[in-house]
Structures are given as C-alpha cells and as structure tokens.
C-alpha cells in the first residue's frame, strides 16, 4: 500500500488509535495533519514521529464539534499541503460517565458529549472536506465507530446511539459524495487504549470470554485496517463497515 503524495487529516490523533493511524499513514508515505483538542504536547510528539517516518506533519488544534474550528482545520491543511485526500473521523468523546450512567439518569449534558464530538464532529469534518475532495475527483473518508452501534450494549447508551448514527451517516455520505469519494467505516471491539484502565478484572475477563481471539485488539491493528480503507485497495468499496473486534460480533 503506497500513499505517497496523499494528504491525510486524522482527527483526535494526539494519542490512542488516532496516533497509530497517523503513523501508519505516514509510513505508507502520506503527509499527515494531526488534530487535537486539548493535548497539544502529545500531538506535537506524534508530529515528530510522523516526521521520523519521512512524511510531513502539521498539528492543528480544533474542536471537531465546532464548525468554525473544523473549517480552519481543513483550510490550514489545504493551505499547507494543497489538497486533502484522506479524512479519518476518529475523534471520540471519552469519559467514564458515558459508560457508568444508567439509562434513566442520562442528562442532556451526558447526551451532548458523544453526540457533539463523535457524531456531529464526523458530519462537520466530512462536510468541510467534501468540496475539495469532489473537485479533486478523489477522496477517502473513514469513520471510526464501535460494535455497540451494531449489537447494542448494556452500558454506554449514548455512545452506542452516536456510533450507530455514524454507521448510518457512512451510508448516507457514500451516496452524497459518490462517485469519486469513497466513505467507509470501522466498527471496533475492545482495543487497548486509555479506557482499559477503567475496567475491573471481572469486566476484562467478560470481554475476553466474549472474544474469539481471546485478547484485546492493538491500536496498530486497527490502524492497518484504516490504512487499507485509505488506500486504492478499497477503491470498489463504499458505504461499508468493517468490524475489527477479534471475533465478537459475527454476521
Ligand atoms: N479503544 C477502543 O476500544 C475503541 C473501541 C471502539 C471505538 N473506539 C473509537 O475509536 C476512536 C479513538 O479511540 P481511542 O481509544 O484512541 O480514544 P482516546 O485515547 O480517548 O483518544 C481520543 C482522541 O480524541 C481527541 N478528541 C476528543 N475530543 C475531541 C474534540 N472535541 N475535538 C478534537 N479531538 C478530540 C483526543 O484529543 P485531546 O485530548 O486533544 O482532546 C484524543 O486524541 C474513538 O472514536 C472511539 O470511540 C475505540
């Protein structure tokens, strides 16, 4: 897979899956825009890693849920690199509350987190790159969702609803941006990033019991699937969701 000459924006790439995705795309030759909201130092470190991989890097602070900031993210990308070929909508609202709060106790505030960052952020970023990608007659958008969007989950009600919205949006966008822009999604199972520290031993055991491959996924394994969707290997795919969960949800 070569992404030489391509320009990628990875939202929420100061750590976790976004960081590994940035490195994967950079190793394949793409120049990468590293977006963060609060973690500037971490984002700068990712930029150094992208540079070390031989690609160009640009760090842009932008809250993906704010239209004006998203427009700046995209205009700075085009100013610096002259194009945008790949958008990975990865930024996600992370808070233990989202998982721990029973349905009856969900407040408007809690509803807003995943809805604004995950769902609206995906909409705003996709809308902001659409004109450029259509004009280029080339573009790949990869949306990061989660298996609760498909199978439901006893916890994380708002999260599951927001991610299900992203899967619906993937199909709607695939039609809206066809034929030159392909839009696909990944639905992830349990990937070992920061959130794993919230889990009890018992919860970890339950996760592993429910997973055929008997382990958490690694962020670099997710990054490789996203790398495939960003490459011309996926040129005849659009509106699809690839499940990356070690064999938990099977169709
Ligand atoms: N890890 C898993 O098991 C798993 C499973 C299913 C789906 N996912 C999805 O995969 C994605 C990445 O997950 P992760 O585990 O790597 O998460 P993470 O470690 O919590 O990282 C989240 C990233 O999103 C950024 N972010 C948060 N709010 C933002 C905003 N308003 N604007 C821009 N950036 C923002 C954070 O940057 P700042 O700190 O700078 O705000 C950070 O870089 C998320 O969409 C998540 O829902 C993860």
């Amino acid at each position: 897979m070569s992404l030489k000459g391509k320009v990628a924006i990875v939202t929420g790439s100061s750590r976790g899956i976004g960081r590994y995705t940035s490195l994967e795309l950079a190793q394949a030759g793409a120049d990468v825009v590293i977006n963060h909201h609060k973690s500037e130092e971490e984002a700068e470190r990712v930029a150094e890693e992208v540079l070390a991989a031989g690609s160009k890097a640009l760090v842009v602070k932008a809250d993906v849920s704010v239209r004006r900031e998203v427009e700046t993210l995209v205009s700075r990308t085009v100013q610096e690199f002259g194009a945008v070929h790949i958008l990975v909508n990865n930024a996600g609202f992370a808070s233990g509350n989202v998982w721990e709060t029973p349905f009856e106790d969900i407040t408007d505030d809690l509803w807003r987190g995943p809805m604004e960052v995950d769902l609206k952020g995906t909409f705003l970023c996709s809308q902001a790159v659409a004109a450029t990608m259509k004009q280029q007659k080339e573009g790949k958008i990869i949306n990061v969702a989660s298996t609760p969007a498909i199978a439901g989950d006893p916890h994380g009600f708002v999260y599951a609803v927001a991610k299900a919205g992203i899967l619906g949006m993937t199909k709607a966008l695939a039609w809206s941006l066809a034929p030159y822009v392909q839009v696909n999604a990944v639905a992830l199972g349990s990937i070992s990033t920061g959130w794993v520290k919230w889990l009890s031993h018992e919860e970890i055991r339950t996760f592993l019991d429910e997973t055929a491959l008997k382990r958490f996924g690694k962020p670099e394994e997710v990054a490789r699937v996203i790398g495939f969707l960003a490459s011309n290997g996926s040129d005849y795919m659009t509106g699809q969701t690839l499940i990356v969960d070690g064999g938990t949800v099977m169709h």
Side-chain angles (χ1 to χ4, degrees):
M1 164 184 96
S2 172
L3 297 176
K4 198 93 204 132
K6 306 296 182 199
V7 176
I9 298 174
V10 183
T11 69
S13 44
S14 52
R15 61 172 179 271
I17 292 161
R19 167 177 170 251
Y20 278 94
T21 298
S22 297
L23 300 182
E24 177 73 19
L25 301 182
Q27 277 153 13
D31 295 328
V32 184
V33 177
I34 293 128
N35 157 250
H36 70 96
H37 180 212
K38 295 184 175 149
S39 310
E40 186 171 359
E41 272 179 35
E42 286 168 272
E44 291 293 348
R45 277 201 293 276
V46 177
E48 282 165 23
E49 293 176 294
V50 166
L51 290 173
S55 290
K56 292 183 194 144
L58 174 70
V59 174
V60 182
K61 172 180 159 70
D63 180 342
V64 295
S65 68
V66 178
R67 180 179 287 278
R68 187 175 28 81
E69 296 188 27
V70 167
E71 284 169 357
T72 303
L73 169 66
V74 174
S75 63
R76 284 200 56 202
T77 302
V78 174
Q79 239 169 37
E80 182 82 10
F81 296 125
V84 52
H85 305 100
I86 299 160
L87 167 67
V88 183
N89 283 310
N90 167 76
F93 180 82
S95 149
N97 281 350
V98 168
W99 291 99
E100 287 149 18
T101 309
F103 173 69
E104 291 77 3
D105 298 334
I106 293 169
T107 59
D108 291 0
D109 236 21
L110 204 62
W111 174 263
R112 268 193 292 272
M115 288 298 162
E116 289 287 305
V117 177
D118 300 55
L119 186 57
K120 186 179 166 200
T122 296
F123 160 63
L124 289 178
C125 292
S126 302
Q127 198 184 40
V129 299
T132 305
M133 286 185 172
K134 278 185 164 179
Q135 198 182 18
Q136 291 167 178
K137 298 194 171 175
E138 180 188 343
K140 301 272 190 186
I141 297 178
I142 299 105
N143 297 329
V144 179
S146 185
T147 49
I150 298 166
D153 196 284
H155 311 286
F157 176 85
V158 185
Y159 177 81
V161 175
K163 293 300 197 189
I166 289 176
L167 295 189
M169 198 190 314
T170 299
K171 297 173 198 175
L173 270 175
W175 280 111
S176 299
L177 302 183
Y180 298 112
V181 181
Q182 291 88 54
V183 187
N184 292 293
V186 287
L188 309 179
S190 301
I191 312 300
S192 36
T193 59
W195 73 289
V196 173
K197 64 177 180 281
W198 300 330
L199 299 174
S200 65
H201 286 304
E202 196 174 330
E203 283 170 319
I204 291 177
R205 213 174 21 249
T206 307
F207 272 119
L208 298 184
D209 282 348
E210 290 168 351
T211 304
L213 298 187
K214 297 292 170 225
R215 63 175 177 86
F216 284 77
K218 299 175 192 159
E220 53 269 46
E221 292 174 310
V222 174
R224 285 198 286 272
V225 178
I226 295 176
F228 160 70
L229 290 174
S231 77
N232 62 10
S234 69
D235 277 356
Y236 198 51
M237 290 175 64
T238 197
Q240 303 303 314
T241 297
L242 296 183
I243 299 177
V244 187
D245 71 347
T248 309
V249 176
M250 298 189 195
H251 291 289

